[in-house]
Amino acid sequence: MFSLAYKPETDIEIDGKIYPVDDSFDNVIRLIDMLNDVMVEPAYKVIIGLQMFLGDLDGDELLERDFNELNKVFNQLIELFIGKGKEEIKYDIAGNELPQMKDPEERNYSLKHDAEFIYASFMQAYGIDLIEEQGKLSWTKFQALLSGLPSNTKFSQVVSIRTWKKPSKNEKEHTRMAKLKEIYRLPEEEEGE
């Protein structure tokens, strides 16, 4: 959760050892992609996710640990560093059906499909080159900047088009907006997206 009163968390303690957490926006986006990948076994999502967050954890060492404890730590990392409002990632060792991470804002935008619009909008509004900020800009800061993009940026305009509702009687405006909505419609959710 974003706070101006407290410095963001940057590490986590596991079994008495402090680990730095990689909460850079690009790492979190890759993590979300991995969580949505149906080709990755649910139990491995926890292991891979922990390695993505914590970097220097040995995969073989993780496989020897109690899975429920690993899952608990992973969910704690999701809550602390990605934020509330996300579905809790519940995995069991048997690989039962589990919820997937969803893109924010109920599919008004996609971090994957709208990447060009987001990149251009950050450059336009803030002068921030997101490619140069990979590994640096935290997920929390990225989300705050994304939600504050001005209405004259391409990303905000596309989201506005997608969320547009038909006004009472202006048929010409309705036709124009319907065409724009079709142009900027997000692709249907695909397996592994």
Side-chain angles (χ1 to χ4, degrees), residues 5-182:
Y6 301 98
K7 191 172 181 174
E9 296 284 335
T10 58
D11 48 47
I12 190 168
E13 182 178 340
I14 303 172
D15 295 336
K17 185 175 178 186
I18 303 294
Y19 293 92
V21 176
D22 181 357
D23 73 333
S24 59
F25 77 96
D26 52 303
N27 190 50
V28 172
I29 291 171
R30 284 189 298 272
L31 178 75
I32 291 169
D33 284 347
M34 184 273 301
L35 291 173
N36 286 326
D37 188 343
V38 296
M39 300 303 290
V40 179
E41 292 293 325
Y44 285 109
K45 290 180 181 185
V46 172
I47 304 298
I48 294 167
L50 285 170
Q51 288 178 311
M52 290 176 77
F53 266 131
L54 305 176
D56 64 349
L57 289 177
D58 178 24
D60 292 333
E61 176 190 332
L62 286 174
L63 290 172
E64 294 172 5
R65 292 182 176 219
D66 178 59
F67 184 81
N68 291 326
E69 282 301 311
L70 293 176
N71 189 42
K72 183 178 169 184
V73 169
F74 185 59
N75 282 312
Q76 182 182 3
L77 285 164
I78 294 283
E79 186 174 324
L80 282 172
F81 294 96
I82 295 181
K84 298 195 185 295
K86 305 289 188 268
E87 293 182 56
E88 184 173 342
I89 311 301
K90 294 181 181 178
Y91 297 100
D92 65 16
I93 200 72
N96 294 324
E97 186 174 336
L98 307 165
Q100 294 182 352
M101 293 289 290
K102 302 258 188 275
D103 282 339
E105 302 301 316
E106 300 178 19
R107 295 281 297 162
N108 291 336
Y109 67 90
S110 164
L111 294 170
K112 181 177 181 179
H113 294 286
D114 293 330
E116 290 179 20
F117 300 143
I118 293 168
Y119 176 83
S121 297
F122 269 63
M123 283 295 286
Q124 177 187 343
Y126 310 122
I128 295 174
D129 183 331
L130 288 175
I131 303 301
E132 295 297 320
E133 289 299 313
Q134 289 180 350
K136 301 175 194 170
L137 181 64
S138 76
W139 175 250
T140 306
K141 291 177 185 177
F142 171 81
Q143 285 186 300
L145 293 169
L146 184 67
S147 68
L149 283 170
S151 61
N152 67 337
T153 60
K154 185 66 172 184
F155 175 75
S156 294
Q157 292 167 351
V158 168
V159 171
S160 178
I161 289 167
R162 289 180 185 147
T163 58
W164 179 82
K165 304 288 185 224
K166 180 182 175 184
S168 56
K169 297 189 180 192
N170 188 341
E171 196 58 41
K172 185 177 179 180
E173 177 71 0
H174 172 68
T175 302
R176 183 178 83 80
M177 289 303 288
K179 286 179 183 176
L180 287 171
K181 283 182 85 144
E182 182 59 29

